[in-house]
Amino acid sequence: MTLSYATTDFIEGGVISAVILLNIIVGFVQDYRAEKTMQSLHSLSAPLANVVRDNGQFVREKAEDLVVGDIVKISVGDIVPADLRLFDGMNLEIDEALLTGESLPAIKSPSLTLPHNVIVGVGDRTNMAFASSTVSKGRGLGIVVKTGMNTEVGMIAALLRNEGPIAKVSRFRRWCQGFKKGGKNILGLIGTPLQVKLSKFAIVLFLFAILLAIIVFSANKWQINNEVLIYGICVAVAVIPESLIAVLTITMAVGTKTMARGNVIVRKLQALEAVGGVTNICSDKTGTLTQGKMIAKKAYIPGLGLITVHDAIHPLDPTSGKIRHKEFTPSDSLSEGSGNDVDGEFVGKSAPLKMFLNAIALCNLATVSKSDRSSHSSAETLGEIGWSATGEPTEISLQVLAMRFCHGKQDLLNSGAWKLVAEHPFDSTVKRMSVVYQRAGRKSLDVFTKGAGEVIVPTLTLDEEQKDDIMRLIERMAGEGLRVLCVAHKSLPDPSLANNRAVVEQGLNFIGLVGLYDPPRVETKDAVRKCQIAGVKVHMLTGDHIRTATAIAHEVGILTPAIPAALASTIVMTAGQFDALSDQEIDELPQLPLVIARCSPSTKVRMVEALHRRGAFCVMTGDGVNDSPALKRADVGIAMGMNGSDVAKDASDLVLTDDNFASIVRAVEEGRRLFDNIQKFLMHLLISNISQVVLLLIGLAFRDNHGVSVFPLSPLEILWVNMITSSFLALGLGLEEAQPDIMLRPPHDLRAGVFTWEVIIDKMIYGVGDGQLGAKCNEKFWEPCHTVYRARATVFAVLSFLLLLTAWEVKHFSRSLFNLNPAKHQGPFAVFHAVWYNRFLFWAVVGGFVITFPVIYIPVFNTMVFHHMGISWEWGVVAGCAVVYLGIVESWKAVKRRCGWGSGKNYRLEGTWRGGFGWIMGSGKNWGQARLRQGRIR
């Protein structure tokens, strides 16, 4: 542009300015929309708070919407949303290291009152919870006293924002650091790994452009005049894909928005790039593979027998279903064929049942109530007929069971007979929970404990034979897919020992077992099967009993009925067995376990490390505070949005808003689609650049009578093709839908990135093909200027039309354009459906085709600006080149399919895969039978 103005070619300079300005405007609008999309998605993952609203119930609100006076509930794993004055709490400890520097959590005392006229340090205000600190233990209630920049952490932020010599760094060093950061930002070296990689690639192309300019000058023996200088600049500009980074940014923004619609919030863009290449998914069971709506189906109570729940349709409704009782001993059959129906009045007839219900109701933090749908909040689980619940699914199901006998926690507390003295919360390391209550009229305290059988049974006051009987019954119940909890009780004569957990949880009396059933999600089995076809292994890491975990794993398809004998002992393991192995022993296993039961956070970390040592790329899910290390170490950490803690979300890369395993699979599919589309538009842009470079370099051999090389393409034609024609085509390719076979391929190699050998070879074949065709169209460069202008218009038309065809051809790297989606469309008209479904790309191609004619034919505009003129019989050459090029590309794709090169190795299939996942691409006409010519799916 500058050179055009310098040489007084104001017409060409003005047109170039207009094209650049148009590209800037379009790029700005698209980038602005992409930025707005990203901001809206970030708001979805903003911190939430449990706050009381007008209806008197706790609802989930954004932390930024809190005001002074709001009542907020905090619990383990929460990030405190504002400065709170605590007025209630139980075993509450908060990590305030960011404010006080203390490594240990601060123990809170809600009942403490401090004098108003005494200044007390932050660390000594134990009746306060400060914003941005993390709850590490217990729970509490507080009233908001400060929000935003008025909080303690907000005042620190205000200090950092003030100008002044805060950091002891010299002005020169700060200037150097700012200059370095600004330079990286300008060069695109700040961003996601893929963005940085492509920016570095663009820098390499820039250096290559300089080299090409030097080649042009050398070919003219460094006799540089205006013509030679412009020609050198043309060759340099032709090699640089100007719209590469802009198209990448827009494509990634669209990808994040698509994932959000699929219930996956992207917190870190690196995960968006990487999730498509995962080889292993380590998933929790409860609420992810299963529905998370547990029903207490069976309860064994010594001295009473077996209580079973039948026909319960609504998990939260205590009136749904029937209760049946039968005489039972641990050695009897668990079949539900016999028994008598009972109701709430049965409690008064059985002291063992009453003690059991007291335990499961009081040793419980969940609440279940019948509420109006209009007052329902996102924090609650809502039943089909208006019953709502808050809390963990396990505790909700126990509370519902107690309420079936009109013996719920709220009923017991409202009676005034029970007062909470101490609480020892559940922890993944101890796998149990205990509460200590004072019963009215009694001096001794009542201890109620529930937890895993292998943890509770050793603490019981029973002989070894009785303990073995209980453990065998637990095994049998777990074998039916039930999650089994052991319930115990004891009297504590000394109230001063209530806070001593070791004393409280020893010498317990066995009062029952309860089996909870959490049915798998309907979509889980198909999602697991889809992963297996896609070459992604699914591992279940759960805290459940090994028999329960095994039963559910078989039900969802993680385990198959026929397990090889060599893997039988290691395919399913407990955390204790896995943790007992050394790293070397784990690495020597023929296959890592697909199911790990009684899993602890440290076991998850070891699993991630074992996968990494095998070169795997893994996803890890988690919801608790202790899952954070595993989420951080995994290649992609996924937190649960509904039941996950704030700490887990903060450590994650993705957040599931529905806690559904199928959403993870959709995220993998979207990641693969994004990777495919990046390769498509990258190939298209580079094909355009390579074809122009080859054409212009060949054009050096064609000189006029003065020995000056004749332009095969004028500077403005090159700019037009790069910034107008190719940019919109590349953007359309970035919006391509996922290919039907996208989950039939093995994961792509993330170490190779988008520049696979297939992309490199294809772009050279397609690009050099364009250049040779263009050169043949310029064989008459030695003719008079009139002929040169016609030839240049022909080259421009050939290049434009071939790029339009290329945009459709790179929709798939090995599948024919005329057989792009045989699952849906076959026959001679299939190509029309293939090019129509991506409307943006279709109209970009149509627009590029239509706009070529006015560029060539408008008088004066064509000769003065683009330096070409209208053509007539040359359209036959253009059509011939298009047909030949199309034949070359289709032949190359056929060769790849035939020889199994690149993506062609995944498509040597004919027919359909009869497993419920649709059609598998093939080029044969017999779609009635499925046959695998060569095994490609593992």
Side-chain angles (χ1 to χ4, degrees), residues 110-124:
S111 60
L112 177 68
T113 303
L114 298 174
H116 291 284
N117 55 352
V118 177
I119 298 176
V120 180
V122 171
D124 296 325

Side-chain angles (χ1 to χ4, degrees), residues 257-453:
K257 194 171 183 178
T258 303
M259 280 199 178
R261 287 198 296 266
N263 300 314
V264 181
I265 304 300
V266 179
R267 296 188 70 254
K268 300 174 184 176
L269 282 179
Q270 292 91 328
L272 182 65
E273 303 165 10
V275 71
V278 299
T279 59
N280 298 74
I281 298 176
C282 299
S283 174
D284 192 10
K285 179 185 76 70
T286 304
T288 306
L289 294 169
T290 60
Q291 296 180 18
K293 297 179 179 179
M294 292 186 175
I295 299 177
K297 299 211 55 166
K298 294 183 180 181
Y300 166 64
I301 304 169
L304 176 65
L306 187 68
I307 295 291
T308 56
V309 177
H310 301 265
D311 305 326
I313 301 175
H314 309 300
L316 303 183
D317 183 5
T319 64
S320 175
K322 298 179 180 179
I323 310 169
R324 187 171 295 166
H325 164 257
K326 75 170 184 176
E327 300 292 333
F328 181 84
T329 63
S331 59
D332 293 342
S333 171
L334 286 168
S335 62
E336 303 175 1
S338 59
N340 302 312
D341 291 342
V342 296
D343 53 24
E345 296 180 358
F346 190 63
V347 179
K349 303 174 184 179
S350 173
L353 176 60
K354 187 174 183 179
M355 179 64 73
F356 174 81
L357 295 176
N358 286 342
I360 64 173
L362 295 175
C363 189
N364 198 314
L365 301 180
T367 60
V368 179
S369 60
K370 192 169 185 178
S371 62
D372 183 12
R373 284 182 178 269
S374 63
S375 64
H376 170 62
S377 74
S378 60
E380 298 172 327
T381 304
L382 188 66
E384 289 79 354
I385 57 172
W387 285 87
S388 62
T390 58
E392 294 293 327
T394 301
E395 296 194 327
I396 291 174
S397 64
L398 295 177
Q399 197 65 244
V400 171
L401 178 60
M403 293 174 67
R404 291 181 186 277
F405 294 93
C406 303
H407 211 74
K409 182 178 181 178
Q410 200 59 47
D411 295 326
L412 295 176
L413 295 180
N414 290 340
S415 68
W418 298 93
K419 179 182 178 182
L420 181 63
V421 177
E423 178 185 306
H424 301 286
F426 175 85
D427 186 87
S428 58
T429 57
V430 297
K431 294 184 173 64
R432 60 178 175 261
M433 173 187 177
S434 299
V435 291
V436 182
Y437 273 85
Q438 174 75 61
R439 197 186 313 192
R442 291 195 180 184
K443 293 183 179 180
S444 62
L445 305 179
D446 286 283
V447 175
F448 299 106
T449 302
K450 72 174 187 293

